[in-house]
Amino acid sequence: MPGDGNHTSGPTPSGPAADPGDELLAARAREGDEGAFETLVHRHGPALLKLAVRILGDTAEAEDAVQEAFVSAWRRLPEYRGEAAFRTWMYRIVTNRCLNQLRSRRPAADLDTVPEPAAPEHEASPARAAESTAAMKALGTALAELSPEQRACWVLRELHNQSYEEIAEAVGITHQAVRGRIFRARRHLTEAMGAWR
Amino acid sequence: MTTEDSSSRRQVEEAVAAAAAGVPGVAYLRPGLTGLLRARTARLVHGTAGPEPVSGVRVRLGADRSTWQIEVKLTTLTGHRAVDVTRAVRTAASAAAGALLGVPEARVAVSVTVTGVL
Amino acid sequence: MALNANPVPPDDDLPDTELLDCGRSLESVWAVHDAEGPPDPHLLRCPHCATALRELHALDDLVRQARSADEDTAAADPARLTARVMDIVRLELRPGRSLPLGEADEDLWIVEAAAAKSFRAAADAVPGVRAGSCQVLPLTPGAGRVRGPVTVRLEVAAALSWNLQDVAEAVRTAVTSAAVQALGLDVRAVDVAVIDILDDEDAPDGGDRG
């Protein structure tokens, strides 16, 4: 079930009384209303930052990725026809950017294989979002051991409530492949947390 | 002033900008996208880091070589009717340019565009 | 802190066939947890399945903690993000076509985005209405800038308590007033489409109307 902040068009209102709804704001922003766009950035920035931090493992890179995603969205708004909810569209852009970012760090690598154990990116910028408890640290480390696609799929599912369809679109793989990535991710995480406990 | 050298043109632009900015209901003059692109392109093409173009004002001699074309782009304030503000700006700009150029106002054509409302 | 030293197998798009000691597939047991498989009485009795489910529940707890930890931590700065995005966006505005202010022979204009902003504000001021798309078009189209009357096309969301005709009329009046009083634009027609419903709670003075 998609998260909050959207109004679906149609006779039945849904979501909390967000005022005005995303699709109305997106329609205005598409026509050049930069104030409406700022409201959308303000509304969705925090969740997208959390997503990017979890996928990239680095706060500064995450801010850059989300900033570029929003600027790209502003430029592409004239082609956005509301086929997907604005929030879903942004998740797609941000996930795509983050996976490309990871791909550019290791150009020869495939995003569905695991990095070498001593992969530099894990040690160089360990600014993971929640390190307050040992359990959170352990979860963060275990997440970093996943392949980028496994991590992206798991984070989108467990921390952002995206549907399998939405995840498939965001990551650019099939619905079936998403289930496989999430299974592998959970398998590793349950093992890691079991060993930790 | 009869030549089109850039310093004279700049003086006229600055005078027009000052006159326009003083009109009630004008929030500020600013270049539209065209202004920014033109400035960047000019610097790329000519290679010089010239002075920043005057915000929101463009002055050039028309094709007939006797009428001055002045373009003003500005943001107005809510609470002031846009057409009234632009009319007042046209009057002020025309007077300022005519005086500096030493030509009758009939030889000054002013176009005013509201690019934003604050 | 002991970490799992086993590497994660690569993704190969083959079905995952890991079996528990009781013969059930791990995937099917977890599917029950996800409410994506049918409830299975075997799960209630089988210690292997119970362990598998317990591990997943333990992970769920961590996920819940991670979610609320993410809420609290301001590791990345949303305010800075918004400022940086808007700095760039403001260099790349979309003004739209220029529309004529005043009489036919005057050389005075307003860009569509600025006119639309005024009209949306006028519509937003009508109780129980939120404006969406707003386009302003010359009545007689032409290349470049055209002087002549214009038509306004507006989409709005309206509270359920509004009668469709009444709300369209109210918005039309508001837009026409703005055209005359705020702008000086010759608006000949205002098309209003109600494309969505607002909860009455969304309306500034929610409740009955019209």
Side-chain angles (χ1 to χ4, degrees):
Chain A
M1 181 172 182
D4 51 21
N6 294 344
H7 275 247
T8 57
S9 29
T12 316
S14 68
D19 193 32
D22 281 357
E23 302 318 313
L24 229 49
L25 288 172
R28 293 164 72 139
R30 178 164 73 235
E31 292 167 357
D33 182 349
E34 78 275 13
F37 191 72
E38 184 164 9
T39 304
L40 287 169
V41 176
H42 182 80
R43 191 178 281 179
H44 295 289
L48 293 168
L49 282 171
K50 286 168 197 161
L51 171 67
V53 169
R54 283 283 182 194
I55 297 180
L56 293 173
D58 181 293
T59 304
E61 286 193 30
E63 277 195 35
D64 283 348
V66 176
Q67 177 192 310
E68 284 163 25
F70 272 119
V71 171
S72 170
W74 169 257
R75 291 176 185 149
R76 289 160 57 182
L77 264 174
E79 301 126 44
Y80 169 74
R81 290 274 162 249
E83 333 72 43
F86 179 79
R87 184 169 174 269
T88 304
W89 191 55
M90 287 309 307
Y91 269 110
R92 203 182 300 169
I93 297 176
V94 169
T95 303
N96 190 256
R97 245 170 222 277
C98 288
L99 292 178
N100 283 341
Q101 172 88 344
L102 292 175
R103 193 181 277 122
S104 76
R105 284 184 198 166
R106 303 172 290 123
D110 209 338
L111 283 183
D112 58 8
T113 59
V114 182
E116 294 305 312
E121 66 263 24
H122 300 143
E123 283 140 28
S125 28
R128 284 183 263 285
E131 304 286 68
S132 50
T133 68
M136 288 292 97
K137 278 198 178 73
L139 178 63
T141 305
L143 272 175
E145 289 163 352
L146 297 174
S147 77
E149 280 188 6
Q150 290 163 358
R151 185 161 64 245
C153 289
W154 188 86
V155 169
L156 283 167
R157 180 78 182 153
E158 297 294 333
L159 298 180
H160 293 270
N161 281 341
Q162 297 285 288
S163 71
Y164 285 116
E165 287 309 324
E166 288 165 337
I167 299 172
E169 290 269 7
V171 177
I173 58 180
T174 65
H175 182 118
Q176 189 57 35
V178 170
R179 301 180 77 99
R181 305 291 187 270
I182 291 177
F183 178 85
R184 300 274 166 87
R186 276 179 170 173
R187 190 73 191 89
H188 179 72
L189 293 175
T190 50
E191 276 178 12
M193 300 321 296
W196 175 76
R197 269 180 291 120
Chain B
M1 182 188 335
T2 51
T3 56
E4 227 185 305
D5 58 284
S6 56
S7 63
S8 337
R9 177 170 39 225
R10 191 184 173 78
Q11 282 178 333
V12 177
E13 286 173 352
E14 286 172 352
V16 166
V23 169
V26 173
Y28 45 77
L29 304 191
R30 76 192 293 174
L33 182 60
T34 351
L36 278 172
L37 277 180
R38 225 170 2 94
R40 283 186 193 144
T41 312
R43 270 178 240 137
L44 279 173
V45 168
H46 301 296
T48 53
E52 284 294 312
V54 176
S55 272
V57 180
R58 201 160 86 123
V59 172
R60 57 197 163 91
L61 192 56
D64 63 1
R65 311 306 287 171
S66 68
T67 314
W68 289 88
Q69 315 278 357
I70 300 184
E71 216 182 304
V72 182
K73 293 191 176 184
L74 50 85
T75 296
T76 60
L77 296 167
T78 9
H80 296 256
R81 202 163 80 127
V83 68
D84 298 333
V85 175
T86 52
R87 280 175 182 152
V89 167
R90 178 188 57 203
T91 305
S94 189
L100 204 53
L101 290 165
V103 299
E105 286 186 35
R107 301 273 277 279
V108 177
V110 179
S111 174
V112 186
T113 302
V114 176
T115 52
V117 175
L118 210 54
Chain C
M1 171 175 65
L3 293 175
N4 187 356
N6 302 326
V8 190
D11 297 309
D12 52 17
D13 289 346
L14 293 177
D16 296 287
T17 52
E18 179 164 356
L19 298 178
L20 299 172
D21 289 342
C22 59
R24 296 298 169 117
S25 82
L26 183 55
E27 192 168 26
S28 68
V29 173
W30 281 355
V32 174
H33 163 278
D34 290 342
E36 281 163 14
D40 187 349
H42 167 89
L43 264 54
L44 297 174
R45 299 188 308 266
C46 170
H48 307 289
C49 294
T51 305
L53 279 176
R54 197 165 46 240
E55 287 180 337
L56 201 52
H57 284 133
L59 188 58
D60 283 350
D61 286 340
L62 280 180
V63 167
R64 257 188 293 277
Q65 277 185 56
R67 270 213 202 102
S68 56
D70 277 356
E71 295 295 326
D72 300 333
T73 315
D77 187 348
R80 179 170 59 218
L81 170 77
T82 306
R84 283 162 61 181
V85 168
M86 293 314 296
D87 281 347
I88 298 173
V89 164
R90 278 187 250 275
L91 291 176
E92 301 187 19
L93 295 182
R94 293 191 276 272
R97 61 175 69 85
S98 290
L99 302 158
L101 291 172
E103 305 301 316
D105 60 345
E106 300 188 84
D107 198 357
L108 309 170
W109 308 86
I110 182 165
V111 298
E112 185 182 13
K117 186 172 172 182
S118 295
F119 294 145
R120 287 197 200 101
D124 281 348
V126 175
V129 172
R130 287 288 172 273
S133 162
C134 176
Q135 293 184 301
V136 188
L137 309 143
L139 228 44
T140 8
R145 306 196 297 186
V146 174
R147 294 206 67 86
V150 300
T151 188
V152 178
R153 268 188 217 148
L154 194 52
E155 291 181 353
V156 302
L160 203 51
S161 47
W162 268 110
N163 165 288
L164 276 183
Q165 273 177 314
D166 291 344
V167 71
E169 198 45 48
V171 171
R172 208 168 281 131
T173 304
V175 168
T176 311
S177 289
V180 169
Q181 286 160 16
L183 298 181
L185 195 56
D186 182 2
V187 171
R188 287 294 166 86
V190 182
D191 299 334
V192 180
V194 180
I195 58 152
D196 202 357
I197 310 273
L198 288 180
D199 292 328
D200 275 339
E201 297 79 54
D202 285 349
D205 63 340
D208 295 314
R209 182 178 16 267

